[in-house]
Amino acid sequence: MPDHPIDLGWMRIFVEVARLGSFSAAATLLGLTQPAVSYQIRRLEEQFGVGLLRRQHRGVALTAEGERLLEVAAKAVADIDALARRFSAEAQRPIVRLRTDYAFSSLWLIPRIDGFRLLHPETDIQIVATQRFAADFRDEADVAVVFGTRAEFGAIGTLLLREKVVPVCTRGFLDRNGPFDDPGQLAKAVLIHLDTPMPSPWFDWRSYLTEFSVIRDINAGRDDISFNTYSLVVQAALSAQGVAIGWMGLVDTLLSARMLVEAGPPLEAKDRGYWLVPPRSASAHSEKLSTWLMNEAGKVG
């Protein structure tokens, strides 16, 4: 048994000498001198305490111990080489960064992202979710999907998902507390709110009810609940805690699966929604992602 760990470099030299049957040929392949190769093999034999090669007039031949070592060493060296090639390939794989908010990434993008990977297996996608977009956000991403108005992003972006909302809740909540045949009845229900700055940059319950000329009773809203992220709003609706405003494109799969049902009339904003914003300098990979996003958004209808 060797007193010290075996040098992997020696193992590679041994494998090449055994494969080629020649110190000189192995030296040429490995970019070493013939004496250096011979010396390393001697060191290896000293560590194992057995002869591994028989020196012949022309080249070398494996001893029985050398045959046993080659069986193990050849596989180990091949596995290491394969892993090194994989590391190199992964390091060279292009990465396209998509910057967006938590709601879009968790409810719209994640359920669909496998489609992009299947279509473009050569490209890795990195999703950066944030609620805060700095003025230079286009420099920090290859593609961005941001919520806003035509005035904000129309000059640089493409409207990906127009803001269209509909009240949503579970069938059980609707059966127990409905029907909500008109927005006036919704005003009396437990509503689930998303905390937003004022004035709200998107539809909230205040602006939704105002669009239908509904004013809530002064005593209504005592049992309402609110959350600071839209994912929690949706989770509360799924838990039958009240009625939430559902953004089409974000809750459409939940509606299709009947996990949520529509609980009121829809409302649409003409020039507001999620905008696809390209980087200042487009690349082939960012264009692939942008095209895929537009195609996927088109399927929503």
Side-chain angles (χ1 to χ4, degrees):
M1 181 177 179
D3 294 330
H4 304 287
I6 299 298
D7 189 313
L8 291 178
W10 298 354
M11 298 301 290
R12 177 176 295 282
I13 292 172
F14 169 74
V15 168
E16 295 302 339
V17 170
R19 185 174 65 86
L20 297 171
S22 165
F23 287 130
S24 298
T28 300
L29 178 69
L30 297 170
L32 301 172
T33 64
Q34 190 272 343
V37 169
S38 180
Y39 172 75
Q40 301 290 14
I41 293 297
R42 262 197 327 272
R43 292 293 308 274
L44 191 62
E45 289 177 322
E46 289 172 1
Q47 280 213 294
F48 277 106
V50 296
L52 300 173
L53 297 168
R54 289 193 301 272
R55 281 69 173 173
Q56 298 178 333
H57 178 65
R58 291 183 177 273
V60 294
L62 289 168
T63 64
E65 291 81 6
E67 293 278 4
R68 291 165 63 187
L69 178 59
L70 180 63
E71 184 178 351
V72 175
K75 182 179 184 307
V77 170
D79 287 347
I80 292 171
D81 287 344
L83 187 60
R85 288 192 297 271
R86 193 174 306 126
F87 285 158
S88 178
E90 289 173 356
Q92 294 172 10
R93 281 169 62 88
I95 297 177
V96 58
R97 295 170 301 163
L98 171 59
R99 195 174 185 87
T100 188
D101 64 27
Y102 295 118
F104 185 86
S105 61
S106 63
L107 295 172
W108 193 92
L109 185 59
I110 297 301
R112 295 172 168 85
I113 198 62
D114 271 352
F116 179 81
R117 294 193 179 102
L118 289 172
L119 193 62
H120 301 290
E122 76 288 351
T123 303
D124 285 335
I125 181 169
Q126 181 184 72
I127 301 170
V128 181
T130 179
Q131 291 302 120
R132 297 183 178 181
F133 286 83
D136 60 348
F137 72 90
R138 295 178 70 191
D139 298 323
E140 300 175 352
D142 297 303
V143 177
V145 176
V146 296
F147 189 93
T149 64
R150 186 175 299 278
E152 293 174 291
F153 301 112
I156 58 175
T158 303
L159 187 57
L160 189 68
L161 292 176
R162 191 183 309 278
E163 185 185 17
K164 181 180 180 181
V165 301
V166 64
V168 295
C169 64
T170 61
R171 170 56 63 182
F173 185 90
L174 182 63
D175 291 342
R176 290 191 302 274
N177 299 278
F180 305 125
D181 294 328
D182 63 68
Q185 292 171 305
L186 271 174
K188 301 174 185 178
V190 176
L191 303 181
I192 305 171
H193 300 267
L194 174 64
D195 294 335
T196 61
M198 297 300 292
S200 175
W202 44 69
F203 284 124
D204 59 6
W205 276 116
R206 183 190 301 272
S207 58
Y208 177 88
L209 294 173
T210 297
E211 287 287 332
F212 293 99
S213 302
V214 173
I215 299 176
R216 294 189 85 184
D217 184 271
I218 192 171
N219 294 315
R222 290 180 177 178
D223 296 323
D224 286 2
I225 52 179
S226 63
F227 298 93
N228 64 349
T229 65
Y230 189 62
S231 296
L232 294 178
V233 169
V234 172
Q235 189 59 51
L238 288 168
S239 301
Q241 296 182 38
V243 185
I245 290 180
W247 272 268
M248 300 308 295
L250 303 186
V251 299
D252 53 321
T253 56
L254 298 174
L255 290 170
S256 298
R258 305 299 292 171
M259 297 173 69
L260 293 174
V261 297
E262 295 186 11
L267 192 60
E268 187 171 342
K270 182 180 179 182
D271 293 322
R272 193 169 65 197
Y274 278 105
W275 294 81
L276 174 63
V277 180
R280 298 187 193 280
S281 299
S283 68
H285 304 294
S286 66
E287 290 177 357
K288 286 178 184 178
L289 180 56
S290 295
T291 299
W292 177 80
L293 287 167
M294 291 299 298
N295 290 339
E296 287 296 309
K299 296 175 184 178
V300 176

